[in-house]
Amino acid sequence: MSMLSNLDLIRRVPLFSMLTSDQAQSIADSVVKRRYRRGELIVEQGRKSNALFILLNGRARVLTADSRGREVILAVMQAGDYVGEMSLIDNEPHSATVRAEVQTDMLVLGRIEFSRCLPESTSLAYGILRGLVSRLRAADRQIESLALLDVYGRVARTLLDMAEEDNGIKIIRNKVSRQDMAKIVGASREMVSRVMKDLEERGVIETQENGSVILKERLYERD
């Protein structure tokens, strides 16, 4: 495979497809090449790297893991793919780990240079970008949940995602539909109902007369 120039690869990245020639050249001049050995981490879940990584050659796995070290592969990166843009847009830690499968060369673009390509932070376009990133993070979390957690764990995580903080108490104000919960966690309505009943009997959650649900600290510890 022939080596692509920085500018050629920049032009292949959808994020940069609308740049002018001068803007694309500026980005191409700003990237640095970095080589990763087989098995080396490129980005790590839960941490920030403050950079965009564009795969030049080689191959890398995008994966997520639970507290027990069980992993789920979300994607396999090939030449021209990129990672790190979500963290740069919303300034949150990476939602997944990226590890080189073989010796892999990356073009790395820093936060300052990347931010020059973004619309103004107060613009509608930037708001839409952040919204899309939020949805992608939720999708990654759902994939991880379905793959790594049992039904109890998936229900617990979904309850936590639905809850809001009120004076130190986590509460779901609207009535929790067992049918909707079943569709979210990928289980039957009957199974979800049994899990919810068990959580109530064990005092992990408390359903109020108005249908709202209070989550107890034991649920946080389980998740």
Side-chain angles (χ1 to χ4, degrees):
M1 182 181 71
S2 60
M3 180 67 70
L4 299 173
S5 71
N6 290 1
L7 183 58
D8 287 337
L9 190 55
I10 288 297
R11 281 302 192 188
R12 294 189 175 196
V13 178
L15 280 175
F16 301 135
S17 62
M18 300 302 292
L19 295 180
T20 66
S21 297
D22 288 344
Q23 289 172 328
Q25 187 62 61
S26 176
I27 294 297
D29 292 341
S30 299
V31 296
V32 296
K33 294 179 181 178
R34 187 175 299 170
R35 174 162 291 177
Y36 294 86
R37 300 183 303 275
R38 177 182 179 182
E40 188 175 358
L41 292 183
I42 298 168
V43 304
E44 186 174 0
Q45 184 175 356
R47 295 181 179 273
K48 294 181 181 180
S49 57
N50 292 313
L52 179 75
F53 300 83
I54 306 167
L55 198 147
L56 185 60
N57 56 63
R59 190 170 65 251
R61 287 184 176 183
V62 182
L63 50 91
T64 185
D66 64 9
S67 58
R68 287 179 283 179
R70 295 179 300 173
E71 294 182 344
V72 173
I73 298 174
L74 300 176
V76 176
M77 296 179 62
Q78 306 285 350
D81 291 337
Y82 56 91
V83 69
E85 79 287 354
M86 287 167 52
S87 187
L88 289 176
I89 290 171
D90 66 5
N91 200 32
E92 294 293 328
H94 297 295
S95 61
T97 289
V98 178
R99 180 182 295 126
E101 278 194 354
V102 296
Q103 179 175 286
T104 300
D105 292 326
M106 289 279 188
L107 294 179
V108 184
L109 181 67
R111 173 179 290 278
I112 294 177
E113 291 77 13
F114 178 81
S115 64
R116 294 172 184 162
C117 304
L118 296 177
E120 293 294 328
S121 60
T122 56
S123 69
L124 175 61
Y126 190 76
I128 292 174
L129 275 177
R130 289 183 63 90
L132 290 173
V133 167
S134 178
R135 292 181 185 180
L136 285 172
R137 287 190 182 279
D140 285 348
R141 185 174 171 86
Q142 183 72 357
I143 292 170
E144 175 189 347
S145 177
L146 289 171
L148 297 176
L149 299 179
D150 59 16
V151 177
Y152 271 84
R154 299 202 296 270
V155 169
R157 174 167 289 183
T158 302
L159 290 171
L160 287 168
D161 287 343
M162 295 170 65
E164 58 183 87
E165 191 89 21
D166 185 7
N167 294 321
I169 297 175
K170 286 188 178 294
I171 184 171
I172 303 172
R173 298 193 181 280
N174 298 321
K175 184 178 180 179
V176 178
S177 165
R178 303 299 193 265
Q179 186 65 45
D180 290 346
M181 178 74 74
K183 292 178 180 178
I184 293 172
V185 304
S188 68
R189 184 184 185 282
E190 292 73 21
M191 175 61 77
V192 169
S193 295
R194 288 200 295 270
V195 171
M196 292 287 287
K197 182 179 180 181
D198 185 60
L199 292 175
E200 289 177 342
E201 291 177 348
R202 290 161 51 199
V204 179
I205 63 175
E206 182 180 320
T207 302
Q208 307 298 295
E209 291 183 2
N210 63 1
S212 62
V213 178
I214 295 176
L215 313 185
K216 304 301 180 68
E217 289 187 6
R218 290 171 59 195
L219 185 68
Y220 318 164
E221 295 168 358
R222 179 180 178 83
D223 182 68

